[in-house]
Amino acid sequence: MNTFGQIFRLTTFGESHGEAIGGVVDGMPAGIAIDIDFIQQELNRRRPGQSNITTSRNEADEVEILSGVFEGKTTGAPIGFMVRNTNQHSSDYEQMRNTFRPSHADYTYYYKYGIRDHRGGGRSSARITISRCVAGALAKLALRQLGISVTAYTSQVGSIALDRDYRQYDLSLTESNIVRCPDPQKAADMIRLIEQVKAEGDTIGGTITCVIKGCPPGLGDPEFSKLHATLGSAMLSINAVKGFEYGEGFNGLTMRGSEQNDSFVGGNDNVSHLKDVKTATNHSGGIQGGISNGQDIYFRVAFKPVATLLRPQQTIDIDGKETTLTARGRHDPCVLPRAVPVVEAMAAMTIFDAYLVNKSVKFDIF
């Protein structure tokens, strides 16, 4: 599938070394103010070449809105957009034409389709996430009017991890450093580790934490479209993601029910005010029974080390013969810094889509 969402829908197109990356967003309500500078800022957070710990590919990643916006507002029509590729070094990938990179999509893509664009990974490249960031920015602009915010940050690189609850950090500091971590000291340690790994021609993974504030209760469905399931599906669709957990996640396995349960407080007998109900704790991560309960939604996404290494690796070619590959080109030693806005984008699209779905299923005559 190249389409994401039920009502707020994104369809993407493009390859890493093709003419452009782009997409079409359908289901965007009319009359929403569109801030082009904000959309470009979100792309700038994802763009390559932004620091010495990311790929050196130099792309401006300037977005062109092609349709669906008139005089600064959405019209309700499909929003078409495009970002042109301008700095491809396709020759760097010539040696990979007939060779499969270990743990990359090269082999599986070729086996499935019988053909692949070897330049930069083609359709399987993380460059395709440009479309997600544009659509995510549109979703964020809509969520802003609903009082909902989405904030992600790097919480672990290798063995260096934040050891406190997200509420103990000033998340406004996330953009103050190139690794996008709200703890300045930990950020410095993470940067040094990534620089060391890069110098060795190797790569490293880590974790991104995301926090959604202001989400109303009632989003998500109790069966196959549980909110945590749709969030998990969205996150696991991002390149290099290997795991997803929300709330206490695996950390809660050693707790007893009496410790894990979130007691309700602050309710009253007036049904119209049930939206004001709070919980004493939030081990559930803002979701219960697959439906949001009005508390902060928080989750963690695990990213593996980038598969493309600038050092020799044992592999095979398209004839099944063993060979050694030393990749060339410009690659990230760690995806975490540039993946933060992608996580936010997918979360924003998921929440806004769930909001629109929820508006369509409840008939309120009072």
Side-chain angles (χ1 to χ4, degrees):
M1 288 293 290
N2 297 297
T3 299
F4 174 84
Q6 298 183 69
I7 296 180
F8 182 89
R9 296 168 62 88
L10 165 68
T11 300
T12 71
F13 67 84
E15 295 85 30
S16 177
H17 286 223
E19 291 297 319
I21 307 294
V24 176
V25 171
D26 207 353
M28 184 73 162
I32 294 178
I34 296 300
D35 184 344
I36 297 296
D37 290 338
F38 174 75
I39 297 174
Q40 186 60 55
Q41 175 186 322
E42 293 296 276
L43 280 178
N44 292 345
R45 296 172 67 210
R46 194 223 71 92
R47 68 180 288 273
Q50 58 185 274
S51 76
N52 66 315
I53 60 171
T54 65
T55 172
S56 60
R57 179 170 175 170
N58 186 19
E59 294 276 7
D61 285 354
E62 294 181 359
V63 63
E64 302 173 39
I65 303 295
L66 307 176
S67 64
V69 178
F70 179 68
E71 295 183 343
K73 292 187 176 181
T74 56
T75 64
I79 301 175
F81 62 87
M82 179 173 62
V83 173
R84 299 182 185 276
N85 294 324
T86 62
N87 191 237
Q88 309 97 311
H89 288 181
S90 299
S91 61
D92 288 343
Y93 295 87
E94 189 58 32
Q95 62 175 332
M96 303 179 198
R97 177 185 290 273
N98 298 315
T99 308
F100 302 129
R101 285 171 290 181
S103 292
H104 206 282
D106 295 345
Y107 166 73
T108 51
Y109 197 105
Y110 184 77
Y111 190 93
K112 180 178 178 67
Y113 297 104
I115 186 173
R116 70 182 176 96
D117 184 348
H118 64 282
R119 305 167 304 167
R123 184 68 174 160
S124 63
S125 169
R127 185 155 178 76
I128 307 304
T129 59
I130 283 174
S131 300
R132 301 172 183 228
C133 285
V134 174
L138 292 170
K140 280 185 175 182
L141 289 171
L143 292 177
R144 183 185 295 175
Q145 297 189 23
L146 300 172
I148 302 172
S149 66
V150 180
T151 305
Y153 60 91
T154 298
S155 51
Q156 181 170 350
V157 173
S159 61
I160 302 171
L162 302 189
D163 54 7
R164 289 180 285 165
D165 185 282
Y166 72 89
R167 289 167 293 188
Q168 304 300 313
Y169 294 98
D170 181 357
L171 300 189
S172 67
L173 297 177
T174 299
E175 294 294 321
S176 67
N177 55 76
I178 58 177
V179 78
R180 294 196 164 92
C181 172
D183 184 318
Q185 182 56 57
K186 292 283 189 179
D189 295 339
M190 291 174 179
I191 292 169
R192 280 193 292 270
L193 176 57
I194 296 173
E195 290 174 337
Q196 175 188 339
V197 167
K198 179 181 179 181
E200 296 169 353
D202 214 333
T203 62
I204 197 164
T207 302
I208 289 175
T209 297
C210 186
V211 182
I212 303 169
K213 291 181 173 290
C215 185
L219 304 191
D221 299 316
E223 183 61 11
F224 296 114
S225 292
K226 291 178 170 66
L227 187 58
H228 58 268
T230 55
L231 280 169
S233 177
M235 297 306 139
L236 289 165
S237 75
I238 300 173
N239 307 59
V241 170
K242 303 297 285 185
F244 169 85
E245 63 173 354
Y246 73 101
E248 288 293 338
F250 290 105
N251 289 333
L253 298 181
T254 59
M255 301 171 67
R256 298 191 178 189
S258 55
E259 299 171 304
Q260 176 106 250
N261 286 353
D262 297 318
S263 299
F264 289 108
V265 296
N268 55 52
D269 294 330
N270 190 332
V271 175
S272 65
H273 290 109
L274 279 180
K275 65 180 181 180
D276 299 324
V277 170
K278 305 295 183 183
T279 56
T281 54
N282 190 18
H283 301 301
S284 301
I287 303 172
Q288 294 172 331
I291 301 172
S292 63
N293 65 4
Q295 310 309 300
D296 288 353
I297 296 173
Y298 63 95
F299 57 85
R300 289 162 297 282
V301 187
F303 287 79
K304 71 172 185 175
V306 176
T308 304
L309 308 184
L310 301 182
R311 63 195 308 181
Q313 294 189 85
Q314 187 67 32
T315 188
I316 60 170
D317 61 21
I318 59 174
D319 297 317
K321 296 179 180 179
E322 291 188 357
T323 185
T324 300
L325 171 68
T326 302
R328 297 172 54 196
R330 300 162 295 177
H331 307 281
D332 290 282
C334 178
V335 301
L336 277 298
R338 296 175 60 215
V340 166
V342 181
V343 168
E344 289 182 359
M346 294 308 296
M349 284 192 284
T350 301
I351 294 299
F352 188 48
D353 188 44
Y355 176 85
L356 294 176
V357 169
N358 197 53
K359 294 289 286 186
S360 69
V361 300
K362 185 177 181 181
F363 182 58
D364 192 350
I365 62 175
F366 301 103

